[in-house]
Amino acid sequence: MKDQIKAHVKWQVEAYVKSKKDHENENIIKKIESFQNRNAEIVKVMANTTITDRKQEDDHTYVHYDVHMQYLIKQKDKLYMEEKLEHHLASFYKDKLYESREINQEDNILNQRQIEAELEENDDMPRISYRYDRLKAVQYAEKWWNSYNPAYKKFEVDCTNYISQCLHAGGAPMRGYPNKSKGWWMRSNNWSYSWSVANSLRIYLASSTAGLQAREVGSPHELMLGDVICYDFQGDGRFDHNTIVTGKDALGMPLVNAHTSNSRMRYWAYEDSTAYTPNIQYKFFTIVDNP
């Protein structure tokens, strides 16, 4: 079974390198097209496979496995590595593989649209001085892009929790404890809405006048390392996802890290995501110092 899974993954890897736009896998087609639209080329793809679970039901066997995908990208004279962790389910009948599909974690973002949280900002909050250390924020994002810091709670939809951790690692101060609808904080196995809910963090970044603060800009090109992008996949005003800028491509556009569907140095627009729709809206926030 392991050999059959490896052969299936190898077949998919070859489709990327050969740019087979007629491939039956829609996700592969989206990925290829997203690079071609940026005049970028997938030079090499590597995939490491790990079986995580196996279940037997009569003649049927179901195997869960993870694939750590690594894409070596060339754009102009620049090379960089994009990475993503994929979760798959392989189905066997009498030990013969008949189906293998990706369990796309990004679907969870839309299937479990998080609670709409009203934030209560109080103008009399004391001023908190800090300088945002972008390097430390990015270093944290790189260290934990495909794992989970045991010092924090892990969420099923973990994207905003991960971004909050990155911001805090960069020196952004928490405030508002213990009121979940005020400020931005995690403490004693409790947390504010803005720490863990995508739309609430977007509201907080747009409105905070003390502690962690940000300024909205009009273009992704204006963002720096350590800044934040918010995603409203359906364009209905409720934002579903957040990422942190960890690099720039050859055209100066952001590459981002994210959780839920764990990924690293991914192109910011998410056009290859299963959650993507033509109605997608973005918010771009640059973190500001408060010396």
Side-chain angles (χ1 to χ4, degrees):
M1 291 184 183
K2 187 174 181 180
D3 290 341
Q4 292 181 67
I5 289 174
K6 285 186 174 181
H8 177 77
V9 172
K10 181 180 178 182
W11 171 68
Q12 292 189 313
V13 165
E14 290 175 348
Y16 283 113
V17 177
K18 295 177 182 178
S19 295
K20 293 181 178 179
K21 294 183 69 173
D22 59 345
H23 197 279
E24 63 183 30
N25 188 311
E26 184 178 350
N27 292 341
I28 291 178
I29 295 173
K30 281 185 177 181
K31 193 81 174 176
I32 293 171
E33 290 179 344
S34 71
F35 285 117
Q36 292 177 343
N37 291 339
R38 297 161 48 214
N39 294 318
E41 176 188 1
I42 304 175
V43 177
K44 185 176 182 180
V45 180
M46 294 166 283
N48 294 318
T49 306
T50 304
I51 292 176
T52 59
D53 191 32
R54 174 173 169 165
K55 183 179 180 181
Q56 188 75 40
E57 294 182 2
D58 299 325
D59 291 333
H60 293 268
T61 307
Y62 302 96
V63 179
H64 287 266
Y65 66 98
D66 290 344
V67 183
H68 179 183
M69 299 292 297
Q70 295 178 296
Y71 308 89
L72 182 62
I73 311 302
K74 182 179 181 181
Q75 188 183 40
K76 292 188 174 181
D77 296 326
K78 183 173 183 177
L79 288 171
Y80 70 91
M81 184 75 75
E82 177 181 327
E83 301 184 67
K84 183 184 178 185
L85 182 69
E86 298 180 355
H87 303 284
H88 291 255
L89 174 63
S91 302
F92 294 82
Y93 178 70
K94 292 184 177 180
D95 296 335
K96 184 176 181 180
L97 178 67
Y98 68 86
E99 181 187 39
S100 183
R101 61 182 178 85
E102 182 180 355
I103 304 171
N104 202 302
Q105 297 296 96
E106 284 171 4
D107 292 339
N108 290 341
I109 296 173
L110 299 181
N111 293 338
Q112 298 183 18
R113 302 206 70 179
Q114 298 160 308
I115 61 172
E116 190 77 28
E118 293 295 330
L119 299 185
E120 303 173 12
E121 284 303 319
N122 39 343
D123 296 329
D124 58 347
M125 285 292 295
R127 182 174 176 273
I128 305 174
S129 297
Y130 75 95
R131 289 192 179 275
Y132 185 51
D133 191 325
R134 297 177 178 278
L135 177 59
K136 286 186 177 179
V138 170
Q139 287 174 334
Y140 187 97
E142 289 285 85
K143 179 177 181 178
W144 296 104
W145 80 267
N146 195 24
S147 58
Y148 302 87
N149 187 341
Y152 294 93
K153 177 180 172 62
K154 174 187 172 184
F155 295 82
E156 183 175 357
V157 178
D158 197 64
C159 60
T160 304
N161 176 44
Y162 168 68
I163 299 306
S164 289
Q165 291 176 37
C166 295
L167 293 171
H168 186 56
M174 298 184 192
R175 67 176 180 90
Y177 174 85
N179 191 328
K180 293 178 72 70
S181 63
K182 289 186 178 180
W184 173 78
W185 55 270
M186 174 174 275
R187 179 175 167 186
S188 302
N189 203 32
N190 201 0
W191 52 90
S192 64
Y193 296 127
S194 58
W195 183 277
S196 62
V197 179
N199 196 47
S200 295
L201 178 61
R202 188 269 307 180
I203 294 171
Y204 182 81
L205 291 176
S207 61
S208 175
T209 58
L212 169 61
Q213 296 177 63
R215 175 173 53 86
E216 185 175 351
V217 296
S219 165
H221 197 274
E222 299 176 65
L223 296 175
M224 298 179 285
L225 301 187
D227 285 338
V228 174
I229 303 177
C230 305
Y231 301 75
D232 173 8
F233 287 112
Q234 296 182 338
D236 60 2
R238 179 194 277 178
F239 283 70
D240 313 283
H241 186 52
N242 298 299
T243 65
I244 184 169
V245 178
T246 53
K248 292 289 187 80
D249 70 4
L251 302 179
M253 300 301 285
L255 303 172
V256 299
N257 286 22
H259 266 197
T260 300
S261 181
N262 295 356
S263 50
R264 172 184 177 270
M265 299 289 278
R266 184 174 183 173
Y267 189 65
W268 71 272
Y270 265 61
E271 293 172 339
D272 60 338
S273 169
T274 57
Y276 179 88
T277 75
N279 298 322
I280 193 169
Q281 298 292 322
Y282 308 94
K283 292 283 187 180
F284 310 109
F285 290 102
T286 185
I287 308 303
V288 299
D289 293 332
N290 194 353

